[in-house]
Amino acid sequence: MRSGVYLDRAGGAVAVVDANGVRASAAVDTPTSDVAGALRALLRRLPEQLAPTSVSIATSRFSDALADASELAPVAVLRLAHSDRSVLPPLSGWPGRLCSAVRGWSAVLPGGFDLTGRALGDLDLPAVLRFAEDAANRGARGLTVTAVGSPIRAEQEIAVAEAVHHAVPELPVTLSHEIGGLGLLARENTAVLNAASRPLAERVADECRAVVDELLPGAATLFTRHDAAAMNTEYLRRFPLAALEADTAAALRGAAVLAETGDAVVVDLRADRARAGLVDNGFPRRATDAGVPPLSLPLPDVAVADDIGRTVSRLRGAAEPRPVVVTGTPERAARVASALGARCPADGVVAGAVGAAWAQPAAEVDRVVVESDDLDLATAIDRAGEEAMVRAVSAGARPDSVRIAEVRTGSVAYLPGSVYRVQVRATGVAAEVVRP
């Protein structure tokens, strides 16, 4: 048995599931920003005889922190690029409050690669270390490194991380090529917000694991991601932005599971809002809008449903006919489902918790490949697959369960030669802790 916990600003829910469905559940509408306290209260509502082997937590805590520009740590931002001053500087276009929250001491130093893999400049490690040491002395709690072209060649970012680790060990480093995405600014923005969220993630991860260890000794502690997959606490501490919109993704995934459908328009009704999104093959459809500031994360494609009927009509018109599933507050969900001629599955009020409970570890690798005499596309795909599987294991998957779930390739048409974008997704089964 696995348990899932859903937490947002308006309340939360818990569910225990197994192959036969939902074994126990509970929902509360008490607003709180205390993730560990809400987790404790929900887990105490479970019947004592149930002993889930894992607890997966879907929380809006990290999305809320970005929306409020709160609990973000000051960070230093290093870009390795050609010294072309026409390029937008780091944090360009950021909202003022968010920019102030992360402070963003920044520097642009020589380095990076063009999209054919040619070096744009030699890495100046002494200058890098001077910047890192100065930033740490001024209060930075993290450093981000974004090299132009690092999805093709990441060695300069890796060299910076190694040098800073030895010279300024108190300054954690986030590397943009590990975040993914081709666009320089979106990749850099994502790395910066990830670094700024790490102290919050460390606190949340430690507090929640302590609660699970106390109430369910031996159970694994997991967190859900933006794609309705899962990650362990160690992965969350390193990549907290993976939990952005995790609550939304879990709600969409849970609705599809409860309705026993792979493709659907999901309307999720919370006490404070209504939202609607598309589910493809049981998982949230990815948004194409990168947001403000632009991010390289494939977040769920969700619309705020002020006019539910009109929103549903628009979503159904954007795709082949598919059923509508309504979840959330029971009385309201039943009324809306009746008006729309939609499904209103049992246990819909805990859909987010069900989606969290069913989450399994996954990881993606996003690279640009330039075919040459030394590297062909098939070999590059194999290497990306190996890296994705290693990441899935580090996210909490059992090594013998990891497999390649998806491979996407596309030519980069505007460049000479054979240049391809390769995206590989690996999934696995959570390495659940065996109870003593």
PDB file of all heavy atoms in Angstrom, residues 75-104:
ATOM      1  N   VAL A  75      21.072  34.670  -4.094  1.00  0.00           N
ATOM      2  CA  VAL A  75      21.981  33.814  -4.859  1.00  0.00           C
ATOM      3  C   VAL A  75      22.858  34.656  -5.784  1.00  0.00           C
ATOM      4  O   VAL A  75      22.547  35.808  -6.086  1.00  0.00           O
ATOM      5  CB  VAL A  75      21.201  32.780  -5.698  1.00  0.00           C
ATOM      6  CG1 VAL A  75      20.404  31.838  -4.807  1.00  0.00           C
ATOM      7  CG2 VAL A  75      20.280  33.454  -6.695  1.00  0.00           C
ATOM      8  N   ALA A  76      23.946  34.053  -6.220  1.00  0.00           N
ATOM      9  CA  ALA A  76      24.843  34.660  -7.203  1.00  0.00           C
ATOM     10  C   ALA A  76      24.623  33.995  -8.551  1.00  0.00           C
ATOM     11  O   ALA A  76      24.395  32.778  -8.621  1.00  0.00           O
ATOM     12  CB  ALA A  76      26.295  34.500  -6.767  1.00  0.00           C
ATOM     13  N   VAL A  77      24.686  34.788  -9.607  1.00  0.00           N
ATOM     14  CA  VAL A  77      24.344  34.307 -10.945  1.00  0.00           C
ATOM     15  C   VAL A  77      25.552  34.505 -11.858  1.00  0.00           C
ATOM     16  O   VAL A  77      25.960  35.632 -12.140  1.00  0.00           O
ATOM     17  CB  VAL A  77      23.130  35.073 -11.512  1.00  0.00           C
ATOM     18  CG1 VAL A  77      22.723  34.492 -12.856  1.00  0.00           C
ATOM     19  CG2 VAL A  77      21.967  35.041 -10.532  1.00  0.00           C
ATOM     20  N   LEU A  78      26.105  33.396 -12.317  1.00  0.00           N
ATOM     21  CA  LEU A  78      27.261  33.442 -13.209  1.00  0.00           C
ATOM     22  C   LEU A  78      26.862  32.927 -14.584  1.00  0.00           C
ATOM     23  O   LEU A  78      26.310  31.827 -14.702  1.00  0.00           O
ATOM     24  CB  LEU A  78      28.396  32.581 -12.652  1.00  0.00           C
ATOM     25  CG  LEU A  78      29.633  32.423 -13.553  1.00  0.00           C
ATOM     26  CD1 LEU A  78      30.305  33.771 -13.807  1.00  0.00           C
ATOM     27  CD2 LEU A  78      30.618  31.426 -12.943  1.00  0.00           C
ATOM     28  N   ARG A  79      27.132  33.733 -15.600  1.00  0.00           N
ATOM     29  CA  ARG A  79      26.900  33.311 -16.979  1.00  0.00           C
ATOM     30  C   ARG A  79      28.240  33.237 -17.703  1.00  0.00           C
ATOM     31  O   ARG A  79      29.068  34.152 -17.603  1.00  0.00           O
ATOM     32  CB  ARG A  79      25.977  34.288 -17.705  1.00  0.00           C
ATOM     33  CG  ARG A  79      25.657  33.859 -19.145  1.00  0.00           C
ATOM     34  CD  ARG A  79      24.911  34.933 -19.904  1.00  0.00           C
ATOM     35  NE  ARG A  79      23.591  35.177 -19.345  1.00  0.00           N
ATOM     36  CZ  ARG A  79      22.780  36.155 -19.791  1.00  0.00           C
ATOM     37  NH1 ARG A  79      23.200  36.975 -20.763  1.00  0.00           N
ATOM     38  NH2 ARG A  79      21.590  36.325 -19.246  1.00  0.00           N
ATOM     39  N   LEU A  80      28.449  32.147 -18.425  1.00  0.00           N
ATOM     40  CA  LEU A  80      29.643  31.977 -19.253  1.00  0.00           C
ATOM     41  C   LEU A  80      29.226  32.160 -20.697  1.00  0.00           C
ATOM     42  O   LEU A  80      28.443  31.373 -21.237  1.00  0.00           O
ATOM     43  CB  LEU A  80      30.245  30.586 -19.047  1.00  0.00           C
ATOM     44  CG  LEU A  80      30.624  30.226 -17.598  1.00  0.00           C
ATOM     45  CD1 LEU A  80      31.143  28.801 -17.521  1.00  0.00           C
ATOM     46  CD2 LEU A  80      31.646  31.207 -17.049  1.00  0.00           C
ATOM     47  N   ALA A  81      29.725  33.244 -21.311  1.00  0.00           N
ATOM     48  CA  ALA A  81      29.230  33.603 -22.641  1.00  0.00           C
ATOM     49  C   ALA A  81      30.248  34.458 -23.367  1.00  0.00           C
ATOM     50  O   ALA A  81      31.199  34.978 -22.778  1.00  0.00           O
ATOM     51  CB  ALA A  81      27.901  34.350 -22.525  1.00  0.00           C
ATOM     52  N   HIS A  82      30.018  34.619 -24.647  1.00  0.00           N
ATOM     53  CA  HIS A  82      30.777  35.583 -25.439  1.00  0.00           C
ATOM     54  C   HIS A  82      30.473  36.982 -24.920  1.00  0.00           C
ATOM     55  O   HIS A  82      29.358  37.268 -24.478  1.00  0.00           O
ATOM     56  CB  HIS A  82      30.377  35.461 -26.916  1.00  0.00           C
ATOM     57  CG  HIS A  82      31.233  36.255 -27.842  1.00  0.00           C
ATOM     58  ND1 HIS A  82      30.976  37.558 -28.148  1.00  0.00           N
ATOM     59  CD2 HIS A  82      32.356  35.917 -28.514  1.00  0.00           C
ATOM     60  CE1 HIS A  82      31.890  37.998 -28.986  1.00  0.00           C
ATOM     61  NE2 HIS A  82      32.748  37.029 -29.225  1.00  0.00           N
ATOM     62  N   SER A  83      31.447  37.856 -24.949  1.00  0.00           N
ATOM     63  CA  SER A  83      31.274  39.190 -24.352  1.00  0.00           C
ATOM     64  C   SER A  83      30.508  40.132 -25.266  1.00  0.00           C
ATOM     65  O   SER A  83      30.935  41.250 -25.537  1.00  0.00           O
ATOM     66  CB  SER A  83      32.640  39.800 -24.020  1.00  0.00           C
ATOM     67  OG  SER A  83      33.438  39.882 -25.182  1.00  0.00           O
ATOM     68  N   ASP A  84      29.353  39.671 -25.740  1.00  0.00           N
ATOM     69  CA  ASP A  84      28.504  40.495 -26.604  1.00  0.00           C
ATOM     70  C   ASP A  84      27.497  41.224 -25.718  1.00  0.00           C
ATOM     71  O   ASP A  84      26.575  40.628 -25.168  1.00  0.00           O
ATOM     72  CB  ASP A  84      27.771  39.620 -27.626  1.00  0.00           C
ATOM     73  CG  ASP A  84      26.920  40.445 -28.581  1.00  0.00           C
ATOM     74  OD1 ASP A  84      26.821  41.672 -28.392  1.00  0.00           O
ATOM     75  OD2 ASP A  84      26.365  39.847 -29.511  1.00  0.00           O
ATOM     76  N   ARG A  85      27.659  42.521 -25.554  1.00  0.00           N
ATOM     77  CA  ARG A  85      26.822  43.274 -24.629  1.00  0.00           C
ATOM     78  C   ARG A  85      25.392  43.468 -25.121  1.00  0.00           C
ATOM     79  O   ARG A  85      24.553  44.002 -24.403  1.00  0.00           O
ATOM     80  CB  ARG A  85      27.453  44.653 -24.369  1.00  0.00           C
ATOM     81  CG  ARG A  85      28.804  44.554 -23.680  1.00  0.00           C
ATOM     82  CD  ARG A  85      28.695  43.792 -22.371  1.00  0.00           C
ATOM     83  NE  ARG A  85      29.989  43.652 -21.712  1.00  0.00           N
ATOM     84  CZ  ARG A  85      30.197  42.943 -20.618  1.00  0.00           C
ATOM     85  NH1 ARG A  85      29.186  42.284 -20.083  1.00  0.00           N
ATOM     86  NH2 ARG A  85      31.396  42.866 -20.076  1.00  0.00           N
ATOM     87  N   SER A  86      25.094  43.021 -26.349  1.00  0.00           N
ATOM     88  CA  SER A  86      23.718  43.137 -26.838  1.00  0.00           C
ATOM     89  C   SER A  86      22.818  42.059 -26.246  1.00  0.00           C
ATOM     90  O   SER A  86      21.599  42.146 -26.310  1.00  0.00           O
ATOM     91  CB  SER A  86      23.686  43.049 -28.369  1.00  0.00           C
ATOM     92  OG  SER A  86      24.081  41.756 -28.806  1.00  0.00           O
ATOM     93  N   VAL A  87      23.418  41.022 -25.642  1.00  0.00           N
ATOM     94  CA  VAL A  87      22.644  39.954 -25.034  1.00  0.00           C
ATOM     95  C   VAL A  87      22.021  40.470 -23.740  1.00  0.00           C
ATOM     96  O   VAL A  87      22.658  41.181 -22.972  1.00  0.00           O
ATOM     97  CB  VAL A  87      23.537  38.731 -24.751  1.00  0.00           C
ATOM     98  CG1 VAL A  87      22.757  37.643 -24.034  1.00  0.00           C
ATOM     99  CG2 VAL A  87      24.121  38.200 -26.040  1.00  0.00           C
ATOM    100  N   LEU A  88      20.764  40.093 -23.478  1.00  0.00           N
ATOM    101  CA  LEU A  88      20.090  40.532 -22.257  1.00  0.00           C
ATOM    102  C   LEU A  88      20.843  40.027 -21.035  1.00  0.00           C
ATOM    103  O   LEU A  88      21.265  38.863 -20.988  1.00  0.00           O
ATOM    104  CB  LEU A  88      18.654  40.014 -22.231  1.00  0.00           C
ATOM    105  CG  LEU A  88      17.703  40.607 -23.279  1.00  0.00           C
ATOM    106  CD1 LEU A  88      16.373  39.869 -23.242  1.00  0.00           C
ATOM    107  CD2 LEU A  88      17.495  42.094 -23.021  1.00  0.00           C
ATOM    108  N   PRO A  89      21.027  40.851 -20.028  1.00  0.00           N
ATOM    109  CA  PRO A  89      21.747  40.427 -18.826  1.00  0.00           C
ATOM    110  C   PRO A  89      20.913  39.462 -17.991  1.00  0.00           C
ATOM    111  O   PRO A  89      19.698  39.327 -18.195  1.00  0.00           O
ATOM    112  CB  PRO A  89      21.992  41.746 -18.091  1.00  0.00           C
ATOM    113  CG  PRO A  89      20.883  42.632 -18.539  1.00  0.00           C
ATOM    114  CD  PRO A  89      20.622  42.265 -19.965  1.00  0.00           C
ATOM    115  N   PRO A  90      21.547  38.778 -17.010  1.00  0.00           N
ATOM    116  CA  PRO A  90      20.786  37.887 -16.130  1.00  0.00           C
ATOM    117  C   PRO A  90      19.638  38.614 -15.431  1.00  0.00           C
ATOM    118  O   PRO A  90      19.722  39.798 -15.110  1.00  0.00           O
ATOM    119  CB  PRO A  90      21.841  37.433 -15.117  1.00  0.00           C
ATOM    120  CG  PRO A  90      23.139  37.513 -15.873  1.00  0.00           C
ATOM    121  CD  PRO A  90      22.993  38.719 -16.762  1.00  0.00           C
ATOM    122  N   LEU A  91      18.548  37.885 -15.203  1.00  0.00           N
ATOM    123  CA  LEU A  91      17.328  38.344 -14.529  1.00  0.00           C
ATOM    124  C   LEU A  91      16.558  39.388 -15.335  1.00  0.00           C
ATOM    125  O   LEU A  91      15.695  40.086 -14.791  1.00  0.00           O
ATOM    126  CB  LEU A  91      17.630  38.888 -13.125  1.00  0.00           C
ATOM    127  CG  LEU A  91      18.480  38.023 -12.203  1.00  0.00           C
ATOM    128  CD1 LEU A  91      18.471  38.580 -10.779  1.00  0.00           C
ATOM    129  CD2 LEU A  91      18.022  36.583 -12.194  1.00  0.00           C
ATOM    130  N   SER A  92      16.815  39.477 -16.620  1.00  0.00           N
ATOM    131  CA  SER A  92      16.069  40.417 -17.463  1.00  0.00           C
ATOM    132  C   SER A  92      14.597  40.025 -17.522  1.00  0.00           C
ATOM    133  O   SER A  92      14.253  38.850 -17.695  1.00  0.00           O
ATOM    134  CB  SER A  92      16.638  40.426 -18.887  1.00  0.00           C
ATOM    135  OG  SER A  92      17.942  40.939 -18.897  1.00  0.00           O
ATOM    136  N   GLY A  93      13.728  41.035 -17.364  1.00  0.00           N
ATOM    137  CA  GLY A  93      12.294  40.803 -17.465  1.00  0.00           C
ATOM    138  C   GLY A  93      11.657  40.198 -16.230  1.00  0.00           C
ATOM    139  O   GLY A  93      10.472  39.859 -16.255  1.00  0.00           O
ATOM    140  N   TRP A  94      12.407  40.068 -15.150  1.00  0.00           N
ATOM    141  CA  TRP A  94      11.833  39.501 -13.929  1.00  0.00           C
ATOM    142  C   TRP A  94      10.917  40.517 -13.242  1.00  0.00           C
ATOM    143  O   TRP A  94      11.199  41.723 -13.256  1.00  0.00           O
ATOM    144  CB  TRP A  94      12.952  39.136 -12.962  1.00  0.00           C
ATOM    145  CG  TRP A  94      13.627  37.828 -13.235  1.00  0.00           C
ATOM    146  CD1 TRP A  94      14.027  37.350 -14.443  1.00  0.00           C
ATOM    147  CD2 TRP A  94      13.999  36.853 -12.276  1.00  0.00           C
ATOM    148  NE1 TRP A  94      14.622  36.139 -14.295  1.00  0.00           N
ATOM    149  CE2 TRP A  94      14.622  35.801 -12.976  1.00  0.00           C
ATOM    150  CE3 TRP A  94      13.869  36.760 -10.894  1.00  0.00           C
ATOM    151  CZ2 TRP A  94      15.122  34.669 -12.326  1.00  0.00           C
ATOM    152  CZ3 TRP A  94      14.365  35.633 -10.250  1.00  0.00           C
ATOM    153  CH2 TRP A  94      14.979  34.602 -10.959  1.00  0.00           C
ATOM    154  N   PRO A  95       9.844  40.055 -12.599  1.00  0.00           N
ATOM    155  CA  PRO A  95       9.051  40.960 -11.757  1.00  0.00           C
ATOM    156  C   PRO A  95       9.925  41.529 -10.643  1.00  0.00           C
ATOM    157  O   PRO A  95      10.801  40.846 -10.107  1.00  0.00           O
ATOM    158  CB  PRO A  95       7.960  40.037 -11.193  1.00  0.00           C
ATOM    159  CG  PRO A  95       7.887  38.882 -12.146  1.00  0.00           C
ATOM    160  CD  PRO A  95       9.274  38.699 -12.668  1.00  0.00           C
ATOM    161  N   GLY A  96       9.672  42.783 -10.275  1.00  0.00           N
ATOM    162  CA  GLY A  96      10.529  43.468  -9.312  1.00  0.00           C
ATOM    163  C   GLY A  96      10.656  42.763  -7.980  1.00  0.00           C
ATOM    164  O   GLY A  96      11.757  42.627  -7.435  1.00  0.00           O
ATOM    165  N   ARG A  97       9.531  42.295  -7.423  1.00  0.00           N
ATOM    166  CA  ARG A  97       9.566  41.648  -6.109  1.00  0.00           C
ATOM    167  C   ARG A  97      10.390  40.377  -6.146  1.00  0.00           C
ATOM    168  O   ARG A  97      11.156  40.082  -5.216  1.00  0.00           O
ATOM    169  CB  ARG A  97       8.152  41.318  -5.631  1.00  0.00           C
ATOM    170  CG  ARG A  97       7.316  42.512  -5.192  1.00  0.00           C
ATOM    171  CD  ARG A  97       5.968  42.056  -4.680  1.00  0.00           C
ATOM    172  NE  ARG A  97       6.093  41.201  -3.513  1.00  0.00           N
ATOM    173  CZ  ARG A  97       5.169  40.322  -3.128  1.00  0.00           C
ATOM    174  NH1 ARG A  97       4.068  40.169  -3.857  1.00  0.00           N
ATOM    175  NH2 ARG A  97       5.340  39.592  -2.044  1.00  0.00           N
ATOM    176  N   LEU A  98      10.252  39.611  -7.215  1.00  0.00           N
ATOM    177  CA  LEU A  98      10.987  38.361  -7.326  1.00  0.00           C
ATOM    178  C   LEU A  98      12.481  38.627  -7.486  1.00  0.00           C
ATOM    179  O   LEU A  98      13.318  37.950  -6.889  1.00  0.00           O
ATOM    180  CB  LEU A  98      10.455  37.560  -8.510  1.00  0.00           C
ATOM    181  CG  LEU A  98      10.798  36.070  -8.568  1.00  0.00           C
ATOM    182  CD1 LEU A  98      10.301  35.354  -7.326  1.00  0.00           C
ATOM    183  CD2 LEU A  98      10.207  35.443  -9.819  1.00  0.00           C
ATOM    184  N   CYS A  99      12.800  39.623  -8.292  1.00  0.00           N
ATOM    185  CA  CYS A  99      14.196  39.992  -8.501  1.00  0.00           C
ATOM    186  C   CYS A  99      14.832  40.450  -7.194  1.00  0.00           C
ATOM    187  O   CYS A  99      15.964  40.070  -6.860  1.00  0.00           O
ATOM    188  CB  CYS A  99      14.290  41.084  -9.562  1.00  0.00           C
ATOM    189  SG  CYS A  99      15.962  41.418 -10.152  1.00  0.00           S
ATOM    190  N   SER A 100      14.106  41.246  -6.423  1.00  0.00           N
ATOM    191  CA  SER A 100      14.628  41.729  -5.140  1.00  0.00           C
ATOM    192  C   SER A 100      14.816  40.586  -4.150  1.00  0.00           C
ATOM    193  O   SER A 100      15.756  40.592  -3.351  1.00  0.00           O
ATOM    194  CB  SER A 100      13.685  42.777  -4.555  1.00  0.00           C
ATOM    195  OG  SER A 100      13.584  43.905  -5.389  1.00  0.00           O
ATOM    196  N   ALA A 101      13.928  39.600  -4.208  1.00  0.00           N
ATOM    197  CA  ALA A 101      13.989  38.500  -3.252  1.00  0.00           C
ATOM    198  C   ALA A 101      15.248  37.660  -3.422  1.00  0.00           C
ATOM    199  O   ALA A 101      15.844  37.211  -2.434  1.00  0.00           O
ATOM    200  CB  ALA A 101      12.752  37.618  -3.388  1.00  0.00           C
ATOM    201  N   VAL A 102      15.682  37.432  -4.674  1.00  0.00           N
ATOM    202  CA  VAL A 102      16.863  36.597  -4.897  1.00  0.00           C
ATOM    203  C   VAL A 102      18.136  37.435  -4.991  1.00  0.00           C
ATOM    204  O   VAL A 102      19.233  36.897  -5.054  1.00  0.00           O
ATOM    205  CB  VAL A 102      16.710  35.727  -6.163  1.00  0.00           C
ATOM    206  CG1 VAL A 102      15.458  34.875  -6.079  1.00  0.00           C
ATOM    207  CG2 VAL A 102      16.692  36.572  -7.428  1.00  0.00           C
ATOM    208  N   ARG A 103      17.980  38.765  -5.053  1.00  0.00           N
ATOM    209  CA  ARG A 103      19.078  39.735  -5.156  1.00  0.00           C
ATOM    210  C   ARG A 103      19.870  39.551  -6.445  1.00  0.00           C
ATOM    211  O   ARG A 103      20.014  40.464  -7.223  1.00  0.00           O
ATOM    212  CB  ARG A 103      19.991  39.656  -3.931  1.00  0.00           C
ATOM    213  CG  ARG A 103      19.256  39.982  -2.648  1.00  0.00           C
ATOM    214  CD  ARG A 103      20.198  40.151  -1.487  1.00  0.00           C
ATOM    215  NE  ARG A 103      19.450  40.289  -0.228  1.00  0.00           N
ATOM    216  CZ  ARG A 103      19.996  40.368   0.953  1.00  0.00           C
ATOM    217  NH1 ARG A 103      21.316  40.341   1.083  1.00  0.00           N
ATOM    218  NH2 ARG A 103      19.245  40.475   2.032  1.00  0.00           N
ATOM    219  N   GLY A 104      20.439  38.391  -6.676  1.00  0.00           N
ATOM    220  CA  GLY A 104      21.030  38.097  -7.969  1.00  0.00           C
ATOM    221  C   GLY A 104      22.293  38.867  -8.299  1.00  0.00           C
ATOM    222  O   GLY A 104      22.371  39.519  -9.328  1.00  0.00           O
TER     223      GLY A 104
END
